[in-house]
Amino acid sequence: MSPSTRDRQLLRLLTVSAGLATGLLALIVLFLVRESWPVISRVGVVRFFLDQSWHPTEQSYGLTPMFVGSLATTGGAIVIAAPLGVASAVFCRFYAPEPMARIYRWAIILLAGLPSVVLGLWGLTAVVPLITQLHPPGTSLLAGSIVLALMILPTVALTTEGALASLPPSYWNGAAALGLSREAAILFVVLPAARGSIAAGVALAAGRALGETMAVLMVSGNVVRLPSSVFDPVRTLTANIALEMAYATGDHRASLFASGLLTAALVAVLAAMATRLGGGRTHA
């Protein structure tokens, strides 16, 4: 078999695989639209943000507290995980001896593979009691953000290290020619050159945090209200679905699918941002 024939076969296989993945995604979105359409068509989209409370059985469909809770926990997780992930990638790439770097990468990959319920259990037994000592009740926006940060830190660290590894040696050569120290070269040459790929990794990590359910459900308190501080309990969109889907019927069930559609839309926006940021020039 000639190389050109193998290339054509590989191209067909990849095309079919990409088509299947796209088709599955389209089917999921259509399913969400179909299941949520009865309540969306009857009450409209605006009421999901303007209704004062979440009582679907009483025709009140306010998703704003859960929407804000999802964005707040995700934002808090990014604030914690992004600098730690970038710093750990820089350490692993430029400072750690190779044996230590290999151990670190192994540990990060292991952390990425931990089930979310395990991290939620750790948060419930370790993080929540610490926060309770500072400000009861402990189960809060802050606890959810910390657990989510631990979950998405491997994504930020691994994508950042990959971006740093892809930089050509000319950046280091140019920095050395200018007499820059290693620290100055990293801060003013290397990191700015890889900023697009780093930002794309952070956006992907934010998408994962938005879609997380079990860990946040275990530590965030699950109270439907707008948080006024990081110590307030919150409920996210995904936790709301997990808590109520088992007994929801009629418009209540359809409204839960509407909140799932909203979550999918948020994740799609973050995925588009990651594609845009990562699809441009990697190097400045």
PDB file of all heavy atoms in Angstrom, residues 143-171:
ATOM      1  N   ALA A 143     -15.679  27.761  49.370  1.00  0.00           N
ATOM      2  CA  ALA A 143     -15.358  26.329  49.371  1.00  0.00           C
ATOM      3  C   ALA A 143     -15.503  25.738  47.975  1.00  0.00           C
ATOM      4  O   ALA A 143     -14.652  24.964  47.518  1.00  0.00           O
ATOM      5  CB  ALA A 143     -16.262  25.592  50.356  1.00  0.00           C
ATOM      6  N   GLY A 144     -16.569  26.107  47.275  1.00  0.00           N
ATOM      7  CA  GLY A 144     -16.752  25.624  45.917  1.00  0.00           C
ATOM      8  C   GLY A 144     -15.644  26.080  44.991  1.00  0.00           C
ATOM      9  O   GLY A 144     -15.162  25.305  44.151  1.00  0.00           O
ATOM     10  N   SER A 145     -15.216  27.326  45.134  1.00  0.00           N
ATOM     11  CA  SER A 145     -14.148  27.850  44.283  1.00  0.00           C
ATOM     12  C   SER A 145     -12.825  27.143  44.540  1.00  0.00           C
ATOM     13  O   SER A 145     -12.079  26.845  43.606  1.00  0.00           O
ATOM     14  CB  SER A 145     -13.988  29.357  44.524  1.00  0.00           C
ATOM     15  OG  SER A 145     -15.153  30.064  44.145  1.00  0.00           O
ATOM     16  N   ILE A 146     -12.533  26.843  45.803  1.00  0.00           N
ATOM     17  CA  ILE A 146     -11.271  26.169  46.134  1.00  0.00           C
ATOM     18  C   ILE A 146     -11.249  24.761  45.552  1.00  0.00           C
ATOM     19  O   ILE A 146     -10.247  24.330  44.955  1.00  0.00           O
ATOM     20  CB  ILE A 146     -11.071  26.145  47.663  1.00  0.00           C
ATOM     21  CG1 ILE A 146     -10.812  27.561  48.183  1.00  0.00           C
ATOM     22  CG2 ILE A 146      -9.917  25.227  48.039  1.00  0.00           C
ATOM     23  CD1 ILE A 146     -10.762  27.669  49.694  1.00  0.00           C
ATOM     24  N   VAL A 147     -12.338  24.026  45.710  1.00  0.00           N
ATOM     25  CA  VAL A 147     -12.389  22.664  45.180  1.00  0.00           C
ATOM     26  C   VAL A 147     -12.313  22.677  43.650  1.00  0.00           C
ATOM     27  O   VAL A 147     -11.598  21.870  43.035  1.00  0.00           O
ATOM     28  CB  VAL A 147     -13.658  21.953  45.669  1.00  0.00           C
ATOM     29  CG1 VAL A 147     -13.828  20.606  44.977  1.00  0.00           C
ATOM     30  CG2 VAL A 147     -13.602  21.756  47.179  1.00  0.00           C
ATOM     31  N   LEU A 148     -13.039  23.596  43.031  1.00  0.00           N
ATOM     32  CA  LEU A 148     -12.975  23.702  41.569  1.00  0.00           C
ATOM     33  C   LEU A 148     -11.578  24.092  41.106  1.00  0.00           C
ATOM     34  O   LEU A 148     -11.102  23.615  40.066  1.00  0.00           O
ATOM     35  CB  LEU A 148     -13.998  24.723  41.071  1.00  0.00           C
ATOM     36  CG  LEU A 148     -15.440  24.257  40.936  1.00  0.00           C
ATOM     37  CD1 LEU A 148     -16.308  25.389  40.405  1.00  0.00           C
ATOM     38  CD2 LEU A 148     -15.549  23.050  40.032  1.00  0.00           C
ATOM     39  N   ALA A 149     -10.920  24.966  41.843  1.00  0.00           N
ATOM     40  CA  ALA A 149      -9.558  25.369  41.476  1.00  0.00           C
ATOM     41  C   ALA A 149      -8.621  24.172  41.466  1.00  0.00           C
ATOM     42  O   ALA A 149      -7.773  24.036  40.573  1.00  0.00           O
ATOM     43  CB  ALA A 149      -9.050  26.440  42.448  1.00  0.00           C
ATOM     44  N   LEU A 150      -8.777  23.303  42.438  1.00  0.00           N
ATOM     45  CA  LEU A 150      -7.940  22.101  42.473  1.00  0.00           C
ATOM     46  C   LEU A 150      -8.235  21.191  41.282  1.00  0.00           C
ATOM     47  O   LEU A 150      -7.341  20.541  40.742  1.00  0.00           O
ATOM     48  CB  LEU A 150      -8.171  21.350  43.783  1.00  0.00           C
ATOM     49  CG  LEU A 150      -7.189  20.223  44.109  1.00  0.00           C
ATOM     50  CD1 LEU A 150      -5.781  20.771  44.275  1.00  0.00           C
ATOM     51  CD2 LEU A 150      -7.619  19.485  45.370  1.00  0.00           C
ATOM     52  N   MET A 151      -9.487  21.173  40.843  1.00  0.00           N
ATOM     53  CA  MET A 151      -9.862  20.324  39.720  1.00  0.00           C
ATOM     54  C   MET A 151      -9.305  20.837  38.400  1.00  0.00           C
ATOM     55  O   MET A 151      -8.901  20.054  37.545  1.00  0.00           O
ATOM     56  CB  MET A 151     -11.381  20.222  39.629  1.00  0.00           C
ATOM     57  CG  MET A 151     -12.036  19.467  40.756  1.00  0.00           C
ATOM     58  SD  MET A 151     -13.801  19.293  40.504  1.00  0.00           S
ATOM     59  CE  MET A 151     -13.813  18.324  39.011  1.00  0.00           C
ATOM     60  N   ILE A 152      -9.290  22.156  38.211  1.00  0.00           N
ATOM     61  CA  ILE A 152      -8.891  22.708  36.913  1.00  0.00           C
ATOM     62  C   ILE A 152      -7.417  23.094  36.868  1.00  0.00           C
ATOM     63  O   ILE A 152      -6.906  23.407  35.787  1.00  0.00           O
ATOM     64  CB  ILE A 152      -9.758  23.926  36.535  1.00  0.00           C
ATOM     65  CG1 ILE A 152      -9.524  25.093  37.504  1.00  0.00           C
ATOM     66  CG2 ILE A 152     -11.222  23.543  36.488  1.00  0.00           C
ATOM     67  CD1 ILE A 152     -10.271  26.360  37.112  1.00  0.00           C
ATOM     68  N   LEU A 153      -6.735  23.073  38.010  1.00  0.00           N
ATOM     69  CA  LEU A 153      -5.317  23.431  38.015  1.00  0.00           C
ATOM     70  C   LEU A 153      -4.491  22.577  37.056  1.00  0.00           C
ATOM     71  O   LEU A 153      -3.623  23.104  36.358  1.00  0.00           O
ATOM     72  CB  LEU A 153      -4.770  23.348  39.444  1.00  0.00           C
ATOM     73  CG  LEU A 153      -3.376  23.936  39.678  1.00  0.00           C
ATOM     74  CD1 LEU A 153      -3.279  24.510  41.083  1.00  0.00           C
ATOM     75  CD2 LEU A 153      -2.281  22.898  39.485  1.00  0.00           C
ATOM     76  N   PRO A 154      -4.717  21.240  36.969  1.00  0.00           N
ATOM     77  CA  PRO A 154      -3.937  20.461  36.006  1.00  0.00           C
ATOM     78  C   PRO A 154      -4.124  20.918  34.562  1.00  0.00           C
ATOM     79  O   PRO A 154      -3.167  20.919  33.780  1.00  0.00           O
ATOM     80  CB  PRO A 154      -4.465  19.034  36.210  1.00  0.00           C
ATOM     81  CG  PRO A 154      -4.967  19.017  37.599  1.00  0.00           C
ATOM     82  CD  PRO A 154      -5.550  20.371  37.818  1.00  0.00           C
ATOM     83  N   THR A 155      -5.342  21.318  34.200  1.00  0.00           N
ATOM     84  CA  THR A 155      -5.578  21.790  32.834  1.00  0.00           C
ATOM     85  C   THR A 155      -4.746  23.022  32.548  1.00  0.00           C
ATOM     86  O   THR A 155      -4.094  23.136  31.495  1.00  0.00           O
ATOM     87  CB  THR A 155      -7.072  22.098  32.631  1.00  0.00           C
ATOM     88  OG1 THR A 155      -7.838  20.926  32.888  1.00  0.00           O
ATOM     89  CG2 THR A 155      -7.333  22.583  31.210  1.00  0.00           C
ATOM     90  N   VAL A 156      -4.735  23.977  33.477  1.00  0.00           N
ATOM     91  CA  VAL A 156      -3.960  25.203  33.284  1.00  0.00           C
ATOM     92  C   VAL A 156      -2.468  24.887  33.250  1.00  0.00           C
ATOM     93  O   VAL A 156      -1.733  25.377  32.376  1.00  0.00           O
ATOM     94  CB  VAL A 156      -4.274  26.218  34.401  1.00  0.00           C
ATOM     95  CG1 VAL A 156      -3.429  27.472  34.236  1.00  0.00           C
ATOM     96  CG2 VAL A 156      -5.758  26.572  34.401  1.00  0.00           C
ATOM     97  N   ALA A 157      -2.013  24.055  34.171  1.00  0.00           N
ATOM     98  CA  ALA A 157      -0.580  23.762  34.255  1.00  0.00           C
ATOM     99  C   ALA A 157      -0.079  23.024  33.022  1.00  0.00           C
ATOM    100  O   ALA A 157       0.965  23.376  32.453  1.00  0.00           O
ATOM    101  CB  ALA A 157      -0.297  22.938  35.519  1.00  0.00           C
ATOM    102  N   LEU A 158      -0.818  22.008  32.584  1.00  0.00           N
ATOM    103  CA  LEU A 158      -0.353  21.203  31.460  1.00  0.00           C
ATOM    104  C   LEU A 158      -0.415  21.971  30.141  1.00  0.00           C
ATOM    105  O   LEU A 158       0.481  21.859  29.304  1.00  0.00           O
ATOM    106  CB  LEU A 158      -1.170  19.913  31.369  1.00  0.00           C
ATOM    107  CG  LEU A 158      -0.983  18.940  32.534  1.00  0.00           C
ATOM    108  CD1 LEU A 158      -1.937  17.767  32.427  1.00  0.00           C
ATOM    109  CD2 LEU A 158       0.461  18.455  32.610  1.00  0.00           C
ATOM    110  N   THR A 159      -1.474  22.753  29.928  1.00  0.00           N
ATOM    111  CA  THR A 159      -1.546  23.548  28.699  1.00  0.00           C
ATOM    112  C   THR A 159      -0.489  24.643  28.688  1.00  0.00           C
ATOM    113  O   THR A 159       0.095  24.944  27.641  1.00  0.00           O
ATOM    114  CB  THR A 159      -2.935  24.169  28.525  1.00  0.00           C
ATOM    115  OG1 THR A 159      -3.277  24.929  29.696  1.00  0.00           O
ATOM    116  CG2 THR A 159      -3.991  23.108  28.294  1.00  0.00           C
ATOM    117  N   THR A 160      -0.210  25.224  29.845  1.00  0.00           N
ATOM    118  CA  THR A 160       0.823  26.258  29.913  1.00  0.00           C
ATOM    119  C   THR A 160       2.199  25.671  29.640  1.00  0.00           C
ATOM    120  O   THR A 160       2.993  26.248  28.881  1.00  0.00           O
ATOM    121  CB  THR A 160       0.814  26.932  31.296  1.00  0.00           C
ATOM    122  OG1 THR A 160      -0.451  27.560  31.505  1.00  0.00           O
ATOM    123  CG2 THR A 160       1.916  27.979  31.390  1.00  0.00           C
ATOM    124  N   GLU A 161       2.471  24.506  30.221  1.00  0.00           N
ATOM    125  CA  GLU A 161       3.776  23.894  29.959  1.00  0.00           C
ATOM    126  C   GLU A 161       3.917  23.517  28.485  1.00  0.00           C
ATOM    127  O   GLU A 161       4.991  23.663  27.892  1.00  0.00           O
ATOM    128  CB  GLU A 161       3.984  22.660  30.834  1.00  0.00           C
ATOM    129  CG  GLU A 161       5.397  22.126  30.713  1.00  0.00           C
ATOM    130  CD  GLU A 161       5.653  20.894  31.543  1.00  0.00           C
ATOM    131  OE1 GLU A 161       4.711  20.408  32.194  1.00  0.00           O
ATOM    132  OE2 GLU A 161       6.799  20.407  31.524  1.00  0.00           O
ATOM    133  N   GLY A 162       2.842  23.028  27.879  1.00  0.00           N
ATOM    134  CA  GLY A 162       2.888  22.724  26.451  1.00  0.00           C
ATOM    135  C   GLY A 162       3.147  23.961  25.614  1.00  0.00           C
ATOM    136  O   GLY A 162       3.900  23.921  24.627  1.00  0.00           O
ATOM    137  N   ALA A 163       2.531  25.080  26.000  1.00  0.00           N
ATOM    138  CA  ALA A 163       2.761  26.327  25.274  1.00  0.00           C
ATOM    139  C   ALA A 163       4.204  26.807  25.419  1.00  0.00           C
ATOM    140  O   ALA A 163       4.822  27.267  24.449  1.00  0.00           O
ATOM    141  CB  ALA A 163       1.792  27.402  25.780  1.00  0.00           C
ATOM    142  N   LEU A 164       4.751  26.673  26.617  1.00  0.00           N
ATOM    143  CA  LEU A 164       6.134  27.097  26.835  1.00  0.00           C
ATOM    144  C   LEU A 164       7.107  26.190  26.082  1.00  0.00           C
ATOM    145  O   LEU A 164       8.118  26.659  25.550  1.00  0.00           O
ATOM    146  CB  LEU A 164       6.451  27.071  28.332  1.00  0.00           C
ATOM    147  CG  LEU A 164       5.648  28.041  29.203  1.00  0.00           C
ATOM    148  CD1 LEU A 164       6.010  27.868  30.674  1.00  0.00           C
ATOM    149  CD2 LEU A 164       5.859  29.486  28.773  1.00  0.00           C
ATOM    150  N   ALA A 165       6.791  24.898  26.023  1.00  0.00           N
ATOM    151  CA  ALA A 165       7.670  23.962  25.324  1.00  0.00           C
ATOM    152  C   ALA A 165       7.681  24.204  23.817  1.00  0.00           C
ATOM    153  O   ALA A 165       8.648  23.860  23.132  1.00  0.00           O
ATOM    154  CB  ALA A 165       7.243  22.531  25.614  1.00  0.00           C
ATOM    155  N   SER A 166       6.604  24.801  23.281  1.00  0.00           N
ATOM    156  CA  SER A 166       6.512  25.014  21.838  1.00  0.00           C
ATOM    157  C   SER A 166       7.255  26.261  21.363  1.00  0.00           C
ATOM    158  O   SER A 166       7.380  26.476  20.155  1.00  0.00           O
ATOM    159  CB  SER A 166       5.046  25.123  21.420  1.00  0.00           C
ATOM    160  OG  SER A 166       4.461  26.316  21.921  1.00  0.00           O
ATOM    161  N   LEU A 167       7.722  27.083  22.295  1.00  0.00           N
ATOM    162  CA  LEU A 167       8.429  28.298  21.894  1.00  0.00           C
ATOM    163  C   LEU A 167       9.773  27.955  21.250  1.00  0.00           C
ATOM    164  O   LEU A 167      10.506  27.105  21.752  1.00  0.00           O
ATOM    165  CB  LEU A 167       8.660  29.206  23.108  1.00  0.00           C
ATOM    166  CG  LEU A 167       7.424  29.837  23.739  1.00  0.00           C
ATOM    167  CD1 LEU A 167       7.818  30.648  24.961  1.00  0.00           C
ATOM    168  CD2 LEU A 167       6.691  30.727  22.745  1.00  0.00           C
ATOM    169  N   PRO A 168      10.115  28.604  20.165  1.00  0.00           N
ATOM    170  CA  PRO A 168      11.412  28.329  19.521  1.00  0.00           C
ATOM    171  C   PRO A 168      12.575  28.852  20.364  1.00  0.00           C
ATOM    172  O   PRO A 168      12.421  29.806  21.145  1.00  0.00           O
ATOM    173  CB  PRO A 168      11.309  29.087  18.191  1.00  0.00           C
ATOM    174  CG  PRO A 168      10.280  30.132  18.413  1.00  0.00           C
ATOM    175  CD  PRO A 168       9.302  29.570  19.398  1.00  0.00           C
ATOM    176  N   PRO A 169      13.755  28.268  20.227  1.00  0.00           N
ATOM    177  CA  PRO A 169      14.925  28.695  21.021  1.00  0.00           C
ATOM    178  C   PRO A 169      15.340  30.134  20.747  1.00  0.00           C
ATOM    179  O   PRO A 169      16.063  30.720  21.559  1.00  0.00           O
ATOM    180  CB  PRO A 169      16.025  27.723  20.576  1.00  0.00           C
ATOM    181  CG  PRO A 169      15.302  26.550  20.000  1.00  0.00           C
ATOM    182  CD  PRO A 169      14.046  27.084  19.402  1.00  0.00           C
ATOM    183  N   SER A 170      14.895  30.699  19.638  1.00  0.00           N
ATOM    184  CA  SER A 170      15.313  32.063  19.306  1.00  0.00           C
ATOM    185  C   SER A 170      14.882  33.077  20.361  1.00  0.00           C
ATOM    186  O   SER A 170      15.540  34.116  20.530  1.00  0.00           O
ATOM    187  CB  SER A 170      14.740  32.468  17.942  1.00  0.00           C
ATOM    188  OG  SER A 170      13.329  32.366  17.939  1.00  0.00           O
ATOM    189  N   TYR A 171      13.811  32.776  21.087  1.00  0.00           N
ATOM    190  CA  TYR A 171      13.382  33.704  22.136  1.00  0.00           C
ATOM    191  C   TYR A 171      14.420  33.765  23.247  1.00  0.00           C
ATOM    192  O   TYR A 171      14.772  34.847  23.732  1.00  0.00           O
ATOM    193  CB  TYR A 171      12.027  33.274  22.686  1.00  0.00           C
ATOM    194  CG  TYR A 171      10.882  33.624  21.767  1.00  0.00           C
ATOM    195  CD1 TYR A 171      10.455  32.718  20.805  1.00  0.00           C
ATOM    196  CD2 TYR A 171      10.257  34.855  21.841  1.00  0.00           C
ATOM    197  CE1 TYR A 171       9.417  33.028  19.951  1.00  0.00           C
ATOM    198  CE2 TYR A 171       9.218  35.182  20.993  1.00  0.00           C
ATOM    199  CZ  TYR A 171       8.800  34.272  20.045  1.00  0.00           C
ATOM    200  OH  TYR A 171       7.780  34.589  19.188  1.00  0.00           O
TER     201      TYR A 171
END
